[in-house]
Amino acid sequence: MKKLKETLDKVITTKPEIIQFAKDRKFEEAWILSIDQDRPSENAISEYLQKEKFEVIIVEYIWHPEDDDKRVVITIFLDKKCLLKDPKIFMHISLDLFYNYPRFYVFIDIINDKIIGKDYLLNTPVDSINIGVFNHWFSVGPVDLWSKGDSYSLKTITVKIKARANVNKSTLNFQGLFFRFNVKGNLDGPYYGIKTPCCTKVQNDWIVDLQKVDYWMKVMLGL
């Protein structure tokens, strides 16, 4: 999967502009921070963690949030497969990477070393792919497009997307094409994923762009 790392290293050449944390997949309630904001204080982090009980904390880094052609999101779950267990340390490492972002390769290496505990990210093929409305993933509901073992067919994928009008076109937020890794938890590492460009905004609506879907599915699947 070195080729995928190299491809993403060429695509992700700037600092992420947004970081957000979510608990137990409650993305609609995410704590969203912009690179223009000051780093949260220790008290703010503690208050966020103590606000309610949770099992898993998630971080998402967003590059080019306003650009439908360049937007990329990386999602990392601090689950039981990670060597790191402390949510507060996880948040501090995540914020360090956000406010002092290195190049992509180094970013991946630091997460592997300090959070996961081994060389892990992007070392295995994609498990499955779905598409949904960002930060409305479960309230709207994603569309499953592909799973490991399926043949690739843009025609089939097009039918699936167009059958879900509220995903194909949305005023809520942009859509994300979500490439999921270690979905079944069989690997010795956490569940994680990458969202790539897949839509174009037309006036007040985000509409799925099938050319972008086709391009990124082929890139991420190595087709």
Side-chain angles (χ1 to χ4, degrees), residues 144-161:
D144 292 327
L145 301 179
W146 179 92
S147 292
K148 189 182 293 184
D150 292 349
S151 59
Y152 177 72
S153 168
L154 180 60
K155 182 177 180 180
T156 300
I157 288 164
T158 300
V159 170
K160 290 180 178 180
I161 293 172

Side-chain angles (χ1 to χ4, degrees), residues 58 91 223:
I58 305 156
M91 291 188 70
L223 300 177

Side-chain angles (χ1 to χ4, degrees), residues 58-215:
I58 305 156
V59 65
E60 291 195 305
Y61 297 87
I62 307 170
W63 285 263
H64 305 292
E66 303 301 322
D67 190 334
D68 290 328
D69 293 325
K70 296 182 179 180
R71 186 186 301 114
V72 175
V73 182
I74 292 184
T75 306
I76 308 290
F77 281 57
L78 183 69
D79 63 23
K80 295 178 181 178
K81 295 290 187 73
C82 290
L83 179 67
L84 179 65
K85 305 300 181 187
D86 189 323
K88 182 176 281 190
I89 295 175
F90 173 74
M91 291 188 70
H92 276 297
I93 293 170
S94 300
L95 290 166
D96 286 345
L97 285 170
F98 180 60
Y99 286 102
N100 301 287
Y101 180 75
R103 68 173 293 173
F104 182 74
Y105 254 104
V106 178
F107 168 80
I108 293 296
D109 287 345
I110 291 173
I111 292 174
N112 280 333
D113 180 44
K114 294 189 175 183
I115 295 175
I116 300 171
K118 60 178 69 68
D119 184 19
Y120 174 76
L121 295 177
L122 301 175
N123 284 344
T124 56
V126 175
D127 277 346
S128 67
I129 307 167
N130 60 23
I131 190 170
V133 179
F134 192 72
N135 280 351
H136 298 271
W137 211 261
F138 294 102
S139 56
V140 173
V143 181
D144 292 327
L145 301 179
W146 179 92
S147 292
K148 189 182 293 184
D150 292 349
S151 59
Y152 177 72
S153 168
L154 180 60
K155 182 177 180 180
T156 300
I157 288 164
T158 300
V159 170
K160 290 180 178 180
I161 293 172
K162 291 193 173 181
R164 285 287 305 282
N166 60 345
V167 172
N168 186 43
K169 181 178 180 181
S170 178
T171 58
L172 295 172
N173 208 342
F174 59 84
Q175 295 90 338
L177 185 63
F178 192 30
F179 297 87
R180 306 163 73 204
F181 298 81
N182 199 18
V183 173
K184 295 181 180 179
N186 297 329
L187 302 177
D188 188 20
Y191 170 70
Y192 69 99
I194 298 173
K195 297 183 179 78
T196 67
C198 67
C199 63
T200 299
K201 193 171 187 182
V202 180
Q203 296 181 342
N204 294 322
D205 299 316
W206 282 276
I207 302 171
V208 173
D209 186 323
L210 293 168
Q211 286 188 326
K212 293 177 186 177
V213 170
D214 184 49
Y215 172 80

Side-chain angles (χ1 to χ4, degrees), residues 14-20 32-40 61-65 94-101:
T14 59
K15 297 179 179 181
E17 295 175 43
I18 291 175
I19 187 173
Q20 63 178 37
I32 304 171
L33 299 164
S34 168
I35 195 65
D36 297 326
Q37 295 175 253
D38 291 338
R39 180 175 176 140
Y61 297 87
I62 307 170
W63 285 263
H64 305 292
S94 300
L95 290 166
D96 286 345
L97 285 170
F98 180 60
Y99 286 102
N100 301 287
Y101 180 75

